[in-house]
Each structure stands twice: as structure tokens, then as C-alpha cells.
Amino acid sequence: VYDLAMVRSGAAVWLAWYANGGTSGTNGVFVKQILPTVGPTTKAPQSSQGASSVSTGTVALAARSGGGIYAAYCVGYPTCDHIGLWRVGSSTVRTVPGSRYAATISLSPGPSGRLWVAWSDNIPRVRAVRTAVNGATFGAVRTVGMPPHKAAVYDLALDGTTGRGDVVVNVGDGFWHTQVVPGLTLRATPTTWRHGVRRTVTFT
């Protein structure tokens, strides 16, 4: 058992950890309710490829304000193909956009049921994204950047409860803090129309 994380949702306390056992059933990310009753141990879907997986440090675990326990972890091996965002108990693992080669991951609840996800990759680069209020769809990915003249991120922490994302990174010889605001997405309806035809275009 490695890299444990614990969250509370109402009276319920949940534990998550990473395990590198020698079989598919003992390798990957696992979650378990421990209070007020002890529940079953559940493996996060796609958190290993057989008996192989990518460890990303302390397991990214969060209790969403609109309900639900969520975990974020690497999908793929030997490198992270993408970050999977999973609501514990569901069969759906959502792909976090722009998260290929993620190396460290952090997850935080945001206001009104939103979630923040932040990660570093092997470039190195720190990025973050906030979900919609349903916790399932994603806004625009923001590039947070790196402290000057630093070549690696050893750990990453995130708090999104104020609406913005407060990010702290450990670069080996110190801790650095910055803030990121949600990225906006602009959509047009309709996106095309015939030449010579006057149309009203609505931007959202």
C-alpha cells in the first residue's frame, strides 16, 4: 500500500491508495469506505494494464460538493496515455483533455459541484482544468507554467474551493505557489452557413 489519500463526505470517510502487486487484481489504484462502516475494496477502472501501472504520487482523491467521491489517475503504461477521472462506483472513466504523459496529479473540489484537476508532465509543465458543475465535462485546459530554471516536479498539491486553483509544487529544492483561473471556452452557433444568406450567429 503506497501514496494513501483520505477524504470525508458528510459522515463517510474514504481511503484511496496505490498498489504495485504482481497481478491485475493487486496492481493499480484502490478505494474503500472506512467510516462509519467498512466497505469493500474497489479497484479504479483502467488504473493498470494487467499487472503494470504508472504511479503518480499521492492518489488524487476528492469529495465533490454536489455529491460523489472522485479519483484521478494515469491510464496507460509504461507512460501515461491520459488522466482518467472516475466517480467511485460508476463504470465511466472520463478522459482529462491534454493530460498525456502526466507524472503527478492532484484533484480538488470546487464551488457548485465543480472539480479542479492539476498535473505535471515530463516536459516539464504544470497544467490545470476545471469541470462544469456536473463534475463530468471539462473547460479549457490552462498551462500554469513552471518556476524559472527548474527541471522537474516531485509533488503537486491543489485547492480549488475558492473558485480559482491554488497550486503548490515541490521542485526538489523548495515549494512554489501560484494561482490559475478557469479557462473560458467560446462556441458559435451556427458555425457555417451558405454564401449570400444573412444569419444570426450566437456566441456562448
Side-chain angles (χ1 to χ4, degrees):
V1 174
Y2 300 92
D3 302 324
L4 285 90
M6 187 165 57
V7 297
R8 181 169 67 96
S9 177
V13 178
W14 290 79
L15 190 68
W17 65 91
Y18 171 77
N20 63 352
T23 68
S24 176
T26 59
N27 193 295
V29 173
F30 297 83
V31 296
K32 186 183 189 77
Q33 181 178 304
I34 59 172
L35 284 173
T37 58
V38 176
T41 299
T42 303
K43 180 179 175 179
Q46 304 173 27
S47 62
S48 76
Q49 307 296 307
S52 301
S53 58
V54 176
S55 172
T56 56
T58 302
V59 175
L61 188 70
R64 178 172 165 266
S65 62
I69 303 298
Y70 285 76
Y73 48 88
C74 271
V75 175
Y77 183 84
T79 59
C80 186
D81 181 70
H82 62 270
I83 296 173
L85 180 64
W86 174 56
R87 179 170 179 163
V88 175
S90 77
S91 59
T92 301
V93 180
R94 302 186 184 279
T95 299
V96 176
S99 59
R100 188 173 177 84
Y101 301 126
T104 60
I105 306 170
S106 190
L107 181 65
S108 172
S112 305
R114 300 179 189 270
L115 293 165
W116 271 100
V117 187
W119 65 95
S120 67
D121 57 30
N122 61 355
I123 290 178
R125 174 179 57 182
V126 177
R127 310 188 82 189
V129 67
R130 195 179 75 169
T131 73
V133 294
N134 60 8
T137 55
F138 299 93
V141 175
R142 307 301 310 276
T143 297
V144 181
M146 281 284 292
H149 313 299
K150 303 301 178 183
V153 174
Y154 294 94
D155 208 351
L156 180 149
L158 168 71
D159 177 69
T161 55
T162 63
R164 60 182 179 267
D166 282 278
V167 180
V168 176
V169 294
N170 174 5
V171 293
D173 60 356
F175 294 85
W176 294 71
H177 167 263
T178 190
Q179 292 179 333
V180 57
V181 295
L184 299 180
T185 303
L186 182 66
R187 294 185 177 90
T189 305
T191 57
T192 61
W193 59 91
R194 293 177 57 189
H195 174 70
V197 177
R198 180 176 295 179
R199 292 295 303 267
T200 298
V201 180
T202 301
F203 292 93
T204 305

